[in-house]
Each structure stands twice: as C-alpha cells, then as structure tokens.
Amino acid sequence: AIRKNNLDVDMDKISEAFTLAYESHIGQKRKSGEDYILHPVEVAEILVDMRMDTDTIVAGLLHDVVEDTLISLSDIEYNFGTDVKKLVDGVTKLRNLPRTNSKKLENIRKMVVAMSEDIRVVVIKLADRLHNMRTMKYMREEKQREIASETLEIYAPLAHRLGISSVKWELEDTSLRYLHPAQYFSIVGMMKQKRSAREESIKEACESITSLLGENNIKAQVNGRPKHIYSIYKKMVKQNKTFDQIY
C-alpha cells in the first residue's frame, strides 16, 4: 500500500512498529476469531491510503498496545519518539466517550478535537472506527446498533469537517446498514438495478463539462460519483421522496 501510494516514509520505523505490535498482541483475538494484529495493520493501511506521515502510520500500528498489552507510553517514547507517544496517548484517551443525548453531541465533537492536541489523533481514531465498522458483523445486535449510532452522530461529522469524504461516506453507509437494515438493503437493491444508467449519466455529464472547459482553455480534471446510500436514505426520509425521484 505504501509503494502503491508512492509515500516518502521511514520504512524501518514502520517495520519496527509492526514488529512491536505483532509481538505485543500475540495470543489476542478479535471477536471474529482472527489474530488481533490484523486490526492495527488494517488501521495503518487506511492511514497509508489517506497519505499520512510516518509517525501517524506508526501510531496507527501501536494505537492499542498501551490499553491492551504490557507496553507503556514510556516504552513507545523510548523506541519511537515523543510525537508517536503523544499520538498513541491521544487515541487511548478517546477510547471511551461519554454516552449522551443528542443535545450534547456537538459538545462531544468539540471535546474530541480539544482532547487532541494534534489533529492526527482524530484521523487515527477515524481509521480505527472505520475498520471496526467494517468488521462489526461479529458483534451482538445491541452493540452493533450502539456503535453505529455513535459513529453516525460523532465520527461521520468529524470526518466531514476534516474533509475526508471517503471515510465519511463509508461510516454513514455502514452505520445505516446496522441501524436500518431493511431500508439499507432496499436502496442497495434499487441502486444495483439502475447502476448502468447512473454511470452513463455521470459519464455524459463529465464529458460535457470537460468539453466546455476545453473550449474555454481551462485545464481541469473532471470526476463524478453516484450518491452514496445514506445520502439517498436521508433524502427519501426528509423530503418524503421515492428512489426514482432522487437524482
């Protein structure tokens, strides 16, 4: 993933962090039965795809060792430096957010950012939550709904404010999958039926805009995307529209 993204990072430091994480988590399992090390590796890969720096990727690999193993913050600082220690410490402190009602959600979002002296802490936390959402099928239904609700109310809006749209969309769609499964799968089914028509419509719009830009000597790259599932769901509910009325 690092090679694919052409990242200029310290591979030795990242490799050393992986070794420590691997050895520290030996014997620990996820709810799925898989070795625990797969989680920090997946978190690190999400951070790589977000083109983060060496210390953020290292902290992604080590984000659970202080909470779940015998490794201390002092150990991390000694081996990887003060920055990595601060990042891991920040993510550890964000592990358990208070349960609250919707009136206080804005305060919690502000608290998440305020607790993070370095905004990279929030980015690591988002990557951590994203991978947990991808593997939530192994949890009991009550826990799935609790985590999905928290994700939709706190983490997806944070991803939006940081401009990490791909993470925001996936967090929202996956949350909907667990909070309103019937509506989620209904929309997925309808999207599959209309997929080719939607893709053709987007392609035509991109070509038209590209042509107009060219005629006006404007160099640009034009991309299009279909609406994501949660966005469609929100419009159907809030505006009382059918699927066919959403463009």
Side-chain angles (χ1 to χ4, degrees):
I2 288 169
R3 283 197 294 271
K4 185 181 75 177
N5 284 281
N6 295 315
L7 293 193
D8 182 17
V9 291
D10 185 341
M11 289 299 292
D12 289 338
K13 193 172 184 179
I14 291 168
S15 180
E16 190 181 337
F18 167 77
T19 301
L20 178 62
Y22 177 80
E23 291 175 351
S24 301
H25 289 298
I26 280 177
Q28 295 179 353
K29 301 285 184 182
R30 300 267 289 166
K31 286 273 196 297
S32 62
E34 294 176 322
D35 289 338
Y36 194 89
I37 187 60
L38 290 174
H39 170 65
V41 167
E42 291 284 352
V43 169
E45 189 166 345
I46 291 167
L47 294 168
V48 168
D49 286 336
M50 290 163 68
R51 307 190 63 78
M52 299 305 291
D53 64 323
T54 298
D55 283 351
T56 310
I57 297 166
V58 166
L61 285 166
L62 300 173
H63 76 274
D64 277 335
V65 295
V66 172
E67 187 80 18
D68 296 341
T69 78
L70 298 175
I71 301 297
S72 68
L73 283 170
S74 298
D75 295 328
I76 290 175
E77 184 172 28
Y78 178 78
N79 287 286
F80 302 100
T82 304
D83 264 11
V84 173
K85 183 206 85 169
K86 286 181 178 177
L87 292 173
V88 172
D89 187 35
V91 176
T92 304
K93 286 174 179 171
L94 290 180
R95 189 147 182 166
N96 295 305
L97 291 175
R99 301 275 169 249
T100 187
N101 57 42
S102 57
K103 289 180 182 177
K104 293 183 180 176
L105 285 173
E106 181 58 26
N107 290 337
I108 290 182
R109 291 187 204 117
K110 287 177 180 175
M111 183 189 77
V112 170
V113 176
M115 283 172 66
S116 312
E117 293 177 20
D118 190 324
I119 200 67
R120 291 176 297 175
V121 169
V122 180
V123 176
I124 296 166
K125 186 64 186 175
L126 287 172
D128 173 50
R129 179 52 60 107
L130 181 58
H131 183 249
N132 281 331
M133 293 297 290
R134 288 175 179 174
T135 56
M136 222 168 38
K137 64 181 178 182
Y138 299 103
M139 294 184 174
R140 65 183 192 278
E141 189 174 333
E142 180 189 343
K143 193 67 177 174
Q144 288 173 343
R145 294 180 65 82
E146 180 185 306
I147 293 172
S149 179
E150 181 184 73
T151 299
L152 203 54
E153 292 168 341
I154 296 170
Y155 291 104
L158 282 172
H160 175 64
R161 288 182 192 182
L162 291 177
I164 315 172
S165 52
S166 60
V167 172
K168 169 189 178 277
W169 298 332
E170 189 174 345
L171 289 176
E172 288 178 338
D173 286 355
T174 315
S175 296
L176 182 64
R177 151 80 177 80
Y178 290 103
L179 290 171
H180 302 289
Q183 291 93 323
Y184 172 86
F185 287 112
S186 172
I187 293 170
V188 168
M190 290 185 284
M191 286 176 76
K192 282 181 180 175
Q193 291 173 18
K194 300 280 183 75
R195 182 171 179 173
S196 57
R198 279 199 340 271
E199 288 176 349
E200 187 59 34
S201 175
I202 291 167
K203 182 184 171 190
E204 287 175 5
C206 286
E207 288 173 350
S208 176
I209 294 167
T210 300
S211 176
L212 284 165
L213 288 167
E215 288 170 17
N216 288 276
N217 299 313
I218 298 170
K219 289 183 180 179
Q221 185 178 32
V222 182
N223 297 302
R225 63 166 181 84
K227 286 184 103 52
H228 66 295
I229 302 163
Y230 182 71
S231 172
I232 294 170
Y233 167 79
K234 268 205 312 187
K235 281 206 166 183
M236 289 174 71
V237 171
K238 285 188 176 180
Q239 300 177 16
N240 196 28
K241 288 186 173 183
T242 64
F243 181 83
D244 291 330
Q245 291 175 311
I246 295 169
Y247 298 95

